[in-house]
Amino acid sequence: MNMLESYSISDSQSGESVEADDTFFSLEGQFKTLASLLKGRIIRPGHSQYDDFRAVVPGNYDRRPTAVIRVANAADIAASLRFARDNGLEVAVRSGGHSGHSSTDTGLVIDLRDLNRLEIDKKTRTAWAGTGLTAGEVTRAVEKHGLIVGFGDTASVGLGGITTGGGIGYLVRKHGLSIDSVLAAEVVTADGNILLVDEKQHPDLFWALRGGGGNFGVVTKWKFRLHALPAFTGGPLVLPATPEVVSRFTALAELAPEELSAIASVMPAPPAPFIPEEFHGKLVFFCMMAFAGPAEAARDALAPFRAIATPLADLVAPGHYSDLYLPEDPEQKPAFSVCSRLMDRLDEGDAGKIINRVAGSSAPMRLGEIRVLGGAMGRVPSSETAFAHRSSRVMVSFIAVYGDPGEQAVHDRWAADGIAELPQEMDRVYVNFLLTDPAERIHAAYPPQTLERLKLVKRRYDPENLLRLNRNVTPA
Ligand SMILES: Cc1cc2nc3c(=O)[nH]c(=O)nc-3n(C[C@H](O)[C@H](O)[C@H](O)COP(=O)(O)OP(=O)(O)OC[C@H]3O[C@@H](n4cnc5c(N)ncnc54)[C@H](O)[C@@H]3O)c2cc1C
């Protein structure tokens, strides 16, 4: 039996480059030379697909890169990085496009979306996954084999961004962060070297790639350990949004078996048919529950949550893990404001502040999101990966979603003020939730000794800080 399955989840658009507009005359010759070296394509302003390819997911950013390079392999990335350096161009690296860092107004976008190969080895329970793939694509492919690797709550987030930052999702308590399942990576460094990195080969780089963000090279593919998932129960449990309910839920989620992870948000109830109409638009506690194990054990683990208060809706049931991904409309490009903090506890007073803050937002959609951590994530020593805030128990995020990017300052303020109201023992944040924060908040993403170590790795692999469009770690 062939244990190695290959998939190519392709996007086979085949537009040719068209003539450059005026802004390109100065570099036209160089671009022609670059095109002759590439297996992939160069898309420049004026090309019929330019607007599609330059777009990123958050509507906050409308940037016009000098060129988007749809790379076909690691050699294309190496050539593109050299080209950028030789011509003094800024470099943005795009995987799923869920951050504002993957576009630029003055340089190149290295677009990884054609690196979409997934090789699943059922015998060794491992997979090599290209960084052009999304979380949803990998989840759906591996779960067909009763296997899983955890990413986040959104299918369209790219494997490049989520994994370099850490990856906090519905399996965080059972299997840890996404990086805790990474066994190896292929990476192109800023000087154009193509390296295979793991615990033995370039261990410093392997350490930094797991949580240090996109600072240290361009990952072309990850090797993941896959976990058995013979049975799964999940879905939304909607409870009344009161301080008692929110704090009780959080306490129970900490005590629950590790099979159970949850992402729970105080938010206006969507006008969904499963929620009684009188609650539509009113604040509710919308809890996405995930239990990675048999249905009976799931029922037992969920019983205390169902008993907190009479649920307004309860759709938690056995099914596929990928059913947890909510539908997305790629045509919709809302703007986001996010501010987040990793915390040690969340009491009833804090829960009340979260509810009041969400009630006070003018954004069409606003959330006070709570993720209870611990379990497998907390057992990995904090020096083992660049994601070092391992002992954090809870992550709280204020998220505003709105149509007009011109409102960003108002909603950024709202989110930041909400976080400032919560306990301040120490400002700790998950690097991938630094979306609209000021650049200096990178200091909250890493303990001082971790940041120092990252800076040394940066100096070794990208001393000129070519890869700086990210949550930037500057070279030591
Ligand atoms: C709607 C939404 C939901 C989210 N939910 C979750 C969640 O549940 N859990 C969670 O952990 N995070 C979540 N995030 C945060 C998300 O993980 C980050 O925004 C992440 O950076 C997005 O990755 P991307 O590849 O889609 O984005 P991109 O914008 O393409 O990339 C993000 C950053 O990563 C760098 N990068 C991308 N690919 C590579 C690569 N191959 N090699 C090196 N660097 C690279 C880029 O340069 C950029 O700095 C969410 C974000 C959004 C917008």
Side-chain angles (χ1 to χ4, degrees):
M1 189 164 53
N2 178 17
M3 291 304 218
L4 190 70
E5 285 205 14
S6 289
Y7 295 79
S8 191
I9 299 165
S10 67
D11 165 7
S12 55
Q13 293 139 310
S14 59
E16 293 300 315
S17 301
V18 295
E19 276 179 34
D21 69 11
D22 286 351
T23 54
F24 292 93
F25 286 152
S26 60
L27 285 175
E28 206 178 343
Q30 288 94 320
F31 270 112
K32 277 196 179 132
T33 309
L34 177 63
S36 71
L37 300 172
L38 299 180
K39 190 154 177 262
R41 291 177 288 152
I42 302 177
I43 315 289
R44 296 181 292 173
H47 188 282
S48 59
Q49 290 175 305
Y50 176 73
D51 281 337
D52 284 346
F53 286 2
R54 75 182 175 87
V56 292
V57 176
N60 315 47
Y61 312 96
D62 181 22
R63 296 190 176 130
R64 306 189 66 80
T66 304
V68 177
I69 306 185
R70 289 284 288 225
V71 294
N73 53 32
D76 281 3
I77 298 173
S80 306
L81 289 171
R82 284 194 204 103
F83 179 85
R85 211 184 38 230
D86 293 348
N87 293 288
L89 292 171
E90 202 169 64
V91 179
V93 179
R94 187 205 206 274
S95 170
H98 270 268
S99 77
H101 304 288
S102 47
S103 195
T104 160
D105 268 329
T106 58
L108 300 182
V109 174
I110 296 182
D111 183 333
L112 306 171
R113 281 176 285 181
D114 290 332
L115 305 186
N116 53 16
R117 200 173 161 75
L118 176 62
E119 292 177 0
I120 302 170
D121 186 336
K122 288 182 271 180
K123 194 169 170 199
T124 59
R125 286 192 182 160
T126 57
W128 275 105
T131 48
L133 292 164
T134 64
E137 287 168 337
V138 175
T139 304
R140 289 188 187 101
V142 300
E143 76 179 0
K144 286 186 191 140
H145 305 291
L147 298 169
I148 203 69
V149 54
F151 298 107
D153 63 0
T154 301
S156 59
V157 166
L159 250 56
I162 192 165
T163 315
T164 47
I168 301 179
Y170 292 119
L171 292 173
V172 65
R173 301 181 72 247
K174 174 72 176 159
H175 296 302
L177 304 168
S178 305
I179 50 171
D180 298 334
S181 296
V182 168
L183 299 170
E186 182 185 77
V187 56
V188 185
T189 52
D191 57 6
N193 279 321
I194 302 170
L195 304 178
L196 187 68
V197 302
D198 58 20
E199 291 288 0
K200 297 215 168 77
Q201 305 170 80
H202 311 283
D204 54 346
L205 184 53
F206 186 53
W207 170 83
L209 287 176
R210 290 173 295 155
N215 283 286
F216 306 95
V218 182
V219 178
T220 63
K221 56 183 177 178
W222 301 104
K223 184 179 185 184
F224 289 106
R225 178 187 299 115
L226 303 176
H227 309 274
L229 188 70
F232 181 78
T233 290
L237 176 71
V238 185
L239 298 169
T242 68
E244 302 76 28
V245 168
V246 171
S247 61
R248 176 97 185 108
F249 179 97
T250 309
L252 285 174
E254 274 215 69
L255 296 171
E258 289 180 6
E259 283 74 14
L260 191 132
S261 293
I263 300 180
S265 299
V266 175
M267 59 185 266
F274 62 87
I275 298 180
E277 217 175 309
E278 66 265 32
F279 291 102
H280 291 179
K282 305 253 167 60
L283 287 196
V284 295
F285 194 37
F286 195 99
C287 310
M288 290 296 288
M289 311 301 291
F291 189 90
E296 261 178 35
R299 243 192 330 269
D300 291 347
L302 287 160
F305 295 92
R306 289 176 160 137
I308 297 176
T310 307
L312 308 175
D314 182 354
L315 269 69
V316 190
H320 292 116
Y321 176 94
S322 61
D323 294 342
L324 289 180
Y325 293 130
L326 299 175
E328 295 176 63
D329 177 357
E331 298 305 314
Q332 296 280 329
K333 300 222 175 285
F336 294 88
S337 290
V338 181
C339 195
S340 181
R341 171 170 292 157
L342 293 160
M343 297 172 32
D344 292 332
R345 73 192 72 81
L346 187 117
D347 63 22
E348 208 174 298
D350 302 325
K353 288 177 189 163
I354 292 172
I355 294 168
N356 290 339
R357 172 78 15 199
V358 177
S361 165
S362 59
M365 181 47 77
R366 60 275 186 190
L367 297 89
E369 187 195 81
I370 298 166
R371 300 185 185 211
V372 176
L373 308 171
M377 167 187 153
R379 277 196 297 277
V380 176
S382 39
S383 60
E384 199 165 305
T385 64
F387 184 110
H389 291 316
R390 294 274 181 178
S391 63
S392 306
R393 310 297 299 177
V394 187
M395 182 163 86
V396 177
S397 311
F398 289 102
I399 304 168
V401 187
Y402 45 95
D404 177 5
E407 295 175 6
Q408 184 174 336
V410 173
H411 300 303
D412 284 358
R413 186 77 266 148
W414 166 82
D417 286 350
I419 288 300
E421 278 170 11
L422 295 175
Q424 300 281 340
E425 303 116 18
M426 201 200 281
D427 189 22
R428 280 170 288 157
V429 67
Y430 167 39
V431 72
N432 270 357
F433 273 43
L434 289 177
L435 192 69
T436 44
D437 292 87
E440 317 79 77
R441 198 148 183 253
I442 189 78
H443 290 274
Y446 305 104
Q449 64 276 26
T450 307
L451 191 56
E452 282 315 303
R453 197 172 158 192
L454 284 171
K455 284 169 177 279
L456 291 170
V457 180
K458 179 77 173 174
R459 185 171 71 190
R460 180 155 188 206
Y461 291 97
D462 184 16
E464 291 163 23
N465 205 5
L466 182 66
L467 297 169
R468 62 180 174 275
L469 293 184
N470 42 43
R471 295 92 182 171
N472 196 224
V473 172
T474 50

